[in-house]
Amino acid sequence: MAIDGVVSVEKGHVGENESVCVEKALEPSFPKDAVDEWPEEKKFHSLYFVKYRTVEDRAVKAKLDHADKDLKKLNLACDPITEKLRAKRNERAQVIGQLKALVEEKNHFRTIMDGKRKEIKPLQQALGKLRGLNNANRDNRGGYLCSSEEELNDVIRSMQYRIQHESITLNEEKQIIREIKQLEGTRDKVIANVAMRVEVQKFVGEKDAIQDQVKSIGVDLDGVRKDQQAIKAKLKTLETENEAINNVIVSLEEELCVVIEKRDKIYHKIRELRNKHEEGNTCFYQNHSLLNDARRLAASKDVNALIELSTSEVDKFMSAWNSSKAFREVFSMCCTGHTFIL
């Protein structure tokens, strides 16, 4: 019934059958003649559309449910592995931090060792020269070597004095002359030793002072060497620990990869099953869009367009019904009627 220009629409249950009744509202006016008092009977248009329901393939649904359960199990299996991996990687990061600190400390001690070695090397060379000077007081044949050229000259003059002023035999004189020649042969070596002694005393000081310096540096080197050995021991322990952690991480990563690979296969299987389900309901989605178009036409009271749409769909339906047994079987399971009344 239409009152004061309001359109009255009646809808039945949206399921097996659905009815929509649309009628034109009467403009409010006072009757003037019999036509107004007894208006012409209203015309209604009843239009039929096929309505598809979703198809539920029990086999596909059972496979989807089973795949979802498998997926949940695999997701649960991933969580503890991931947590263990996170903990082990954090542990490894801490060990690597300790290793870096120890390596820096080791390099620091190596720098100290190198500095001490450079410091002690010239002192050891100086001691070697001093030992050479002590040995240089004897010539290569085991004879005495004068400490200076003045001493050498004095010794030679004293021997010459014996030859000239003392009563000696001819053999003794020959022996003295041979000794003088020998002493003269050591002159260059005496001069070189004096120059070396002056150089050593000039640059490195006396022997005792040098030995004290060498001893002090040696003590420092021993201390640094002990510290370096302790660091090497710590490094070896941490490297062993780091290697063990890496082995655990590799094992966990392999385990996680296996689980993820299985999970990816389940994902792929679920996508395939859902696509199969969607393909089985293609007619439902197309029909759903069609019914929405029909509802819009009914709401806009476009009777001609709605009739044309209904006729076209009925023709398609009858053609499929007459030509396909499979269609008839599907229709009996998942199709109902939908009627528009205008």
Side-chain angles (χ1 to χ4, degrees):
M1 179 181 295
I3 300 175
D4 294 334
V6 178
V7 177
S8 174
V9 179
E10 294 182 0
K11 291 185 180 179
H13 178 66
V14 180
E16 292 294 326
N17 293 287
E18 181 176 351
S19 296
V20 178
C21 181
V22 179
E23 64 178 280
K24 295 182 178 180
L26 295 174
E27 294 180 0
S29 60
F30 294 99
K32 297 179 179 180
D33 51 29
V35 175
D36 292 329
E37 293 179 356
W38 294 283
E40 184 180 358
E41 184 180 356
K42 298 173 184 176
K43 294 182 180 180
F44 295 93
H45 299 276
S46 181
L47 304 174
Y48 182 84
F49 288 87
V50 176
K51 183 176 182 180
Y52 287 82
R53 293 194 300 266
T54 56
V55 177
E56 192 67 49
D57 190 326
R58 293 182 179 179
V60 173
K61 186 177 185 304
K63 291 178 181 179
L64 270 173
D65 292 341
H66 188 269
D68 284 335
K69 290 179 181 178
D70 290 342
L71 185 62
K72 289 178 181 178
K73 290 179 181 179
L74 290 172
N75 285 332
L76 290 175
C78 281
D79 292 340
I81 300 174
T82 304
E83 288 300 321
K84 289 179 182 178
L85 265 175
R86 186 181 293 109
K88 283 297 176 182
R89 284 168 179 163
N90 290 336
E91 186 178 351
R92 182 177 62 180
Q94 293 177 359
V95 172
I96 290 174
Q98 295 176 19
L99 281 170
K100 287 181 179 179
L102 285 175
V103 168
E104 291 179 0
E105 194 172 354
K106 177 184 175 183
N107 293 336
H108 174 67
F109 281 117
R110 181 180 296 171
T111 302
I112 295 175
M113 290 281 289
D114 292 341
K116 294 294 181 182
R117 290 192 183 103
K118 289 179 181 179
E119 187 178 350
I120 202 173
K121 185 176 180 179
L123 298 176
Q124 290 174 334
Q125 291 174 347
L127 286 176
K129 289 180 180 180
L130 288 174
R131 284 192 293 271
L133 288 175
N134 292 333
N135 295 330
N137 288 330
R138 297 184 178 275
D139 62 13
N140 294 334
R141 294 164 294 180
Y144 178 78
L145 195 63
C146 295
S147 61
S148 65
E149 191 175 10
E150 289 79 5
E151 182 183 357
L152 178 62
N153 291 334
D154 291 341
V155 172
I156 291 173
R157 280 195 295 269
S158 66
M159 289 181 175
Q160 289 173 345
Y161 180 83
R162 287 185 63 193
I163 294 172
Q164 294 173 0
H165 299 286
E166 292 183 4
S167 298
I168 54 176
T169 63
L170 181 60
N171 290 333
E172 289 176 340
E173 183 177 349
K174 290 180 179 180
Q175 179 64 30
I176 292 172
I177 291 172
R178 283 196 295 270
E179 291 178 358
I180 290 174
K181 288 181 179 179
Q182 291 175 357
L183 290 172
E184 284 291 347
T186 63
R187 183 176 296 276
D188 292 340
K189 194 170 185 179
V190 169
I191 293 172
N193 285 346
V194 171
M196 185 182 296
R197 187 183 299 110
V198 171
E199 182 181 357
V200 170
Q201 290 176 349
K202 177 180 179 181
F203 290 102
V204 297
E206 298 296 332
K207 181 178 179 180
D208 291 341
I210 295 172
Q211 287 178 334
D212 289 341
Q213 292 181 50
V214 171
K215 187 181 294 184
S216 175
I217 295 172
V219 171
D220 293 340
L221 280 172
D222 289 339
V224 174
R225 196 175 289 112
K226 288 179 181 178
D227 292 337
Q228 206 170 30
Q229 289 174 351
I231 290 174
K232 286 181 179 179
K234 291 180 180 178
L235 279 172
K236 186 176 180 180
T237 301
L238 287 174
E239 286 170 354
T240 302
E241 183 179 352
N242 188 51
E243 184 178 358
I245 293 172
N246 281 332
N247 292 335
V248 174
I249 288 175
V250 169
S251 177
L252 288 172
E253 286 176 341
E254 290 175 352
E255 185 179 353
L256 184 61
C257 284
V258 171
V259 176
I260 290 175
E261 185 177 354
K262 291 180 180 179
R263 188 177 65 180
D264 290 342
K265 289 181 179 179
I266 295 295
Y267 273 134
H268 182 69
K269 183 178 180 180
I270 289 174
R271 282 197 300 270
E272 288 181 343
L273 291 171
R274 286 177 178 169
N275 289 338
K276 187 175 181 180
H277 179 268
E278 295 296 326
E279 289 172 0
N281 285 282
T282 302
C283 292
F284 165 78
Y285 295 117
Q286 293 175 349
N287 179 254
H288 183 73
S289 176
L290 174 71
L291 291 178
N292 285 336
D293 291 340
R295 289 187 182 95
R296 282 194 293 272
L297 293 174
S300 63
K301 303 177 185 178
D302 192 343
V303 178
N304 293 331
L306 190 59
I307 291 173
E308 182 180 353
L309 181 62
S310 175
T311 303
S312 174
E313 289 302 311
V314 168
D315 291 342
K316 290 179 183 179
F317 175 81
M318 294 306 300
S319 175
W321 178 274
N322 294 328
S323 61
S324 174
K325 180 181 178 181
F327 178 82
R328 291 194 295 273
E329 292 175 352
V330 170
F331 178 80
S332 64
M333 292 187 300
C334 64
C335 298
T336 61
H338 187 103
T339 305
F340 287 86
I341 300 176
L342 291 88

